[in-house]
């Protein structure tokens, strides 16, 4: 019970240290804000003005907003800024993911033993990415909460629940999960733990229900007949338009993403398969999914986050084998010391990642600083323009918390043009106060302050240590005519 509570606590720490979000999380976060604060007034929703490249489903935000609404109402009654509601919605999302993870862990306990389940939690706590992402409103994270439940039902051979959840998460949230969950389903068919007729019995109604549900709900919010994930699937696979956001080598997930996510624990994954053949059953769909998904050129670590619990289970099995044989020889004692050391290394790496992430949201930090520090007298109107660089690095409708201010995120305005000069304050992305981005305002505005952000890392040869470097990212300007 202690480890389970600690897992929730670690997730909360990640949320508190990094409260802001980036552009990839924007749609779901803004949707949760709008559901909570604009409710049925769809004309005020953010996606009407900024629809994004592809439409996304409102089902995840609607669910989390419903869970969060009592807490948000209490905060409102007590007079708290709505910026704190961002912590609430992200906190509930994190709790949903951790709850599902612990349900998966219980299934591991039933199938592989309590020690494997225990070390699975410890591994997850010491690693960065899964716990960090657990509270981040990405489509992959909404899907992760359901995928973990699907893993549980697969392990326990509860086929009806497995197929139902799989159909829902594939059709509503992430279509590429058809590969991962499909491989699991294929294993059930090949081993004859499930027959074709049983599959059809569960899959057909689950598919129809999921498709109808997302079309009905999302068509209301998007104000047109729409299957969002179908559009995303066509955009990413048939049109291969995701490549516009960068491409990576075929094997990138294997040599970069998985080692980064698992840390030193990645070494233990194949050992787990060697000491227990049952682990191969878990690794086959995970590795198969990563391999097949590698054919898409555009790659991001979060795209394969679903495989981390399966890979960590293999590592946990290896750890169990070492600790259970601790008294047998000096070799196992030495391995046990190495295992403990590897936990420490993971924690150190996680601490570094968390620090870097905390300084990687200059837009959100700049807006929070402006709202808390700007002295506004009666009759003064704050009309703030937020540029793309600021909006993509932490600004959200939740932290736009001053009710009397006017916030504007209009894109492609001419720098120094008439429209820009009408704003009382500007948030502009720039690396230097003398940069070209700020030159049009050198005479008309004064710089209130700038916010630095993460720029990279390098080895400090003199002090012989890794140095995290920062550079100026966001400048906040005030029009000299504003009084």
């Amino acid at each position: 019970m202690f480890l389970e509570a600690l897992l929730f606590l670690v997730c909360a720490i990640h949320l508190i240290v990094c409260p802001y979000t980036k552009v990839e999380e924007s749609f779901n976060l803004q949707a949760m804000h709008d559901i909570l604060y604009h409710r049925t007034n769809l004309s005020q929703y953010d996606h009407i003005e900024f629809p994004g490249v592809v439409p996304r489903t409102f089902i995840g935000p609607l669910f989390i907003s419903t869970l969060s609404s009592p807490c948000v109402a209490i905060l409102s009654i007590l007079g708290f800024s709505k910026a704190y509601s961002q912590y609430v919605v992200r906190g509930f999302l994190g709790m949903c993911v951790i709850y599902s993870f612990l349900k998966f862990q219980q299934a591991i306990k039933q199938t592989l033993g309590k020690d494997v389940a225990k070390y699975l939690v410890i591994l997850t706590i010491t690693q960065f990415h899964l716990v960090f992402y657990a509270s981040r409103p990405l489509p992959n994270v909404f899907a992760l909460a359901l995928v973990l439940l699907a893993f549980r039902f697969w392990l326990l051979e509860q086929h009806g629940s497995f197929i139902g959840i799989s159909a829902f998460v594939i059709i509503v949230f992430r279509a590429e999960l058809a590969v991962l969950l499909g491989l699991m389903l294929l294993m059930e068919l090949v081993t004859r733990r499930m027959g074709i007729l049983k599959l059809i019995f569960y899959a057909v109604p689950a598919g129809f229900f999921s498709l109808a549900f997302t079309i009905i709900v999302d068509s209301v919010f998007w104000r047109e007949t729409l299957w969002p994930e179908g559009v995303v699937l066509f955009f990413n696979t048939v049109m291969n338009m995701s490549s516009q956001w960068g491409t990576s080598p075929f094997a990138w997930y294997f040599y970069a993403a998985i080692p980064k996510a698992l840390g030193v624990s990645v070494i233990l994954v194949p050992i787990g398969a060697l000491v227990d053949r049952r682990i191969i059953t878990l690794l086959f769909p995970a590795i198969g999914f990563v391999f097949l998904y590698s054919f898409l050129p555009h790659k991001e670590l979060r795209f394969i986050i679903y495989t981390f619990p399966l890979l960590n289970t293999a590592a946990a099995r290896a750890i169990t084998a070492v600790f259970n044989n601790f008294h047998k020889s000096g070799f196992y004692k030495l391995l046990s010391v190495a295992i403990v050391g590897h936990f420490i290394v993971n924690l150190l790496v996680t601490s570094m990642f968390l620090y870097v992430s905390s300084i990687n949201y200059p837009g959100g930090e700049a807006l929070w600083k402006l709202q808390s520090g700007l002295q506004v007298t009666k009759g003064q109107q704050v009309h703030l323009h937020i540029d793309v660089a600021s909006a993509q690095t932490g600004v959200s409708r939740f932290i736009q918390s001053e009710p009397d201010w006017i916030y504007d995120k209009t894109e492609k305005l001419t720098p120094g043009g008439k429209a820009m000069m009408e704003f009382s304050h500007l948030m502009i992305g720039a690396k230097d106060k003398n940069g070209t981005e700020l030159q049009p305002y050198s005479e008309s505005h004064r710089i209130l302050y700038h916010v630095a952000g993460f720029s990279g890392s390098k080895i400090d040869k003199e002090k012989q240590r890794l140095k995290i470097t920062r550079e100026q990212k966001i400048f906040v300007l005030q029009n000299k005519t504003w009084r």
Side-chain angles (χ1 to χ4, degrees), residues 193-232:
R193 288 193 292 265
M194 180 173 60
I196 292 292
L197 291 179
K198 187 177 183 181
L199 168 62
I200 295 173
F201 177 79
Y202 288 120
V204 172
F208 275 116
F209 169 79
S210 301
L211 184 59
F213 187 65
T214 183
I215 290 175
I216 291 171
V217 172
D218 290 310
S219 295
V220 171
F221 283 98
W222 285 99
R223 302 199 288 195
E224 61 176 305
T225 303
L226 188 68
W227 173 29
E229 191 54 28
V231 176
V232 174

Side-chain angles (χ1 to χ4, degrees), residues 297-343:
H298 179 60
K299 298 176 176 65
E300 294 185 37
L301 182 146
R302 61 188 173 96
F303 293 166
I304 61 165
I305 194 172
Y306 327 102
T307 64
F308 300 163
L310 299 175
L311 298 173
N312 273 333
T313 301
R317 182 64 186 88
I319 294 171
T320 301
V322 171
F323 284 154
N324 286 351
N325 291 286
F326 177 81
H327 297 289
K328 287 188 175 181
S329 69
F331 176 68
Y332 278 108
K333 288 182 174 66
L334 186 62
L335 285 178
S336 298
V337 172
I339 293 294
V340 174
H342 121 278
F343 284 135

Side-chain angles (χ1 to χ4, degrees), residues 155-228:
L155 288 168
L156 300 179
E157 297 186 29
Q158 297 177 8
H159 294 132
S161 298
F162 168 69
I163 293 171
I165 288 182
S166 296
F168 190 82
V169 74
I170 290 167
I171 292 172
V172 175
F173 290 104
R174 300 296 299 188
E176 74 271 11
L177 284 167
V179 178
L180 174 59
L181 299 170
L183 287 172
M184 292 178 169
L185 185 61
L186 180 63
M187 292 171 66
E188 298 302 293
L189 293 172
V190 170
T191 56
R192 296 188 178 181
R193 288 193 292 265
M194 180 173 60
I196 292 292
L197 291 179
K198 187 177 183 181
L199 168 62
I200 295 173
F201 177 79
Y202 288 120
V204 172
F208 275 116
F209 169 79
S210 301
L211 184 59
F213 187 65
T214 183
I215 290 175
I216 291 171
V217 172
D218 290 310
S219 295
V220 171
F221 283 98
W222 285 99
R223 302 199 288 195
E224 61 176 305
T225 303
L226 188 68
W227 173 29

Side-chain angles (χ1 to χ4, degrees), residues 6-27:
L6 184 60
L7 185 57
F8 279 105
L9 177 61
V10 171
C11 181
I13 290 172
H14 281 71
L15 165 57
I16 293 168
V17 173
C18 301
Y20 305 116
T21 58
K22 283 203 169 180
V23 62
E24 299 89 351
E25 306 157 68
S26 177
F27 171 78

Side-chain angles (χ1 to χ4, degrees), residues 266-435:
V266 71
I267 301 170
L268 301 171
V269 173
I271 298 174
L274 289 174
V275 299
D276 191 335
R277 292 181 62 83
R278 293 175 296 175
I279 295 299
I280 297 174
T281 303
L282 294 177
L283 292 182
F284 172 74
I287 300 300
F289 169 70
V290 175
F291 174 77
L292 293 173
Y293 204 51
S294 295
F295 283 96
L296 279 180
H298 179 60
K299 298 176 176 65
E300 294 185 37
L301 182 146
R302 61 188 173 96
F303 293 166
I304 61 165
I305 194 172
Y306 327 102
T307 64
F308 300 163
L310 299 175
L311 298 173
N312 273 333
T313 301
R317 182 64 186 88
I319 294 171
T320 301
V322 171
F323 284 154
N324 286 351
N325 291 286
F326 177 81
H327 297 289
K328 287 188 175 181
S329 69
F331 176 68
Y332 278 108
K333 288 182 174 66
L334 186 62
L335 285 178
S336 298
V337 172
I339 293 294
V340 174
H342 121 278
F343 284 135
I344 296 172
V345 172
N346 276 355
L347 283 172
L348 291 174
V349 172
T350 293
S351 298
M352 183 191 70
F353 280 147
L354 186 57
Y355 170 71
V356 168
S357 298
S358 71
I359 59 173
N360 206 23
Y361 300 87
E365 187 179 340
L367 180 56
W368 186 277
K369 187 175 180 179
L370 179 64
Q371 291 178 153
S372 59
L374 185 64
Q375 299 295 320
V376 181
T377 59
K378 187 176 181 180
Q380 286 182 312
Q381 176 68 65
V382 176
H383 194 183
L384 172 64
H385 178 72
I386 301 167
D387 77 345
V388 174
S390 303
Q392 291 182 343
T393 56
V395 172
S396 75
R397 284 191 164 194
F398 278 107
I399 65 170
Q400 293 173 196
S401 56
E402 292 295 328
D404 296 327
W405 290 21
I406 300 174
Y407 300 89
D408 182 273
K409 292 188 290 185
T410 304
E411 298 179 10
K412 299 180 180 179
L413 294 180
T414 302
K418 181 180 178 181
M420 291 294 285
M421 293 300 178
E422 291 178 351
F423 296 106
S424 65
H425 294 80
L426 306 173
M427 287 176 57
I428 298 178
K431 295 182 179 181
D432 187 273
K433 66 179 182 179
N434 297 316

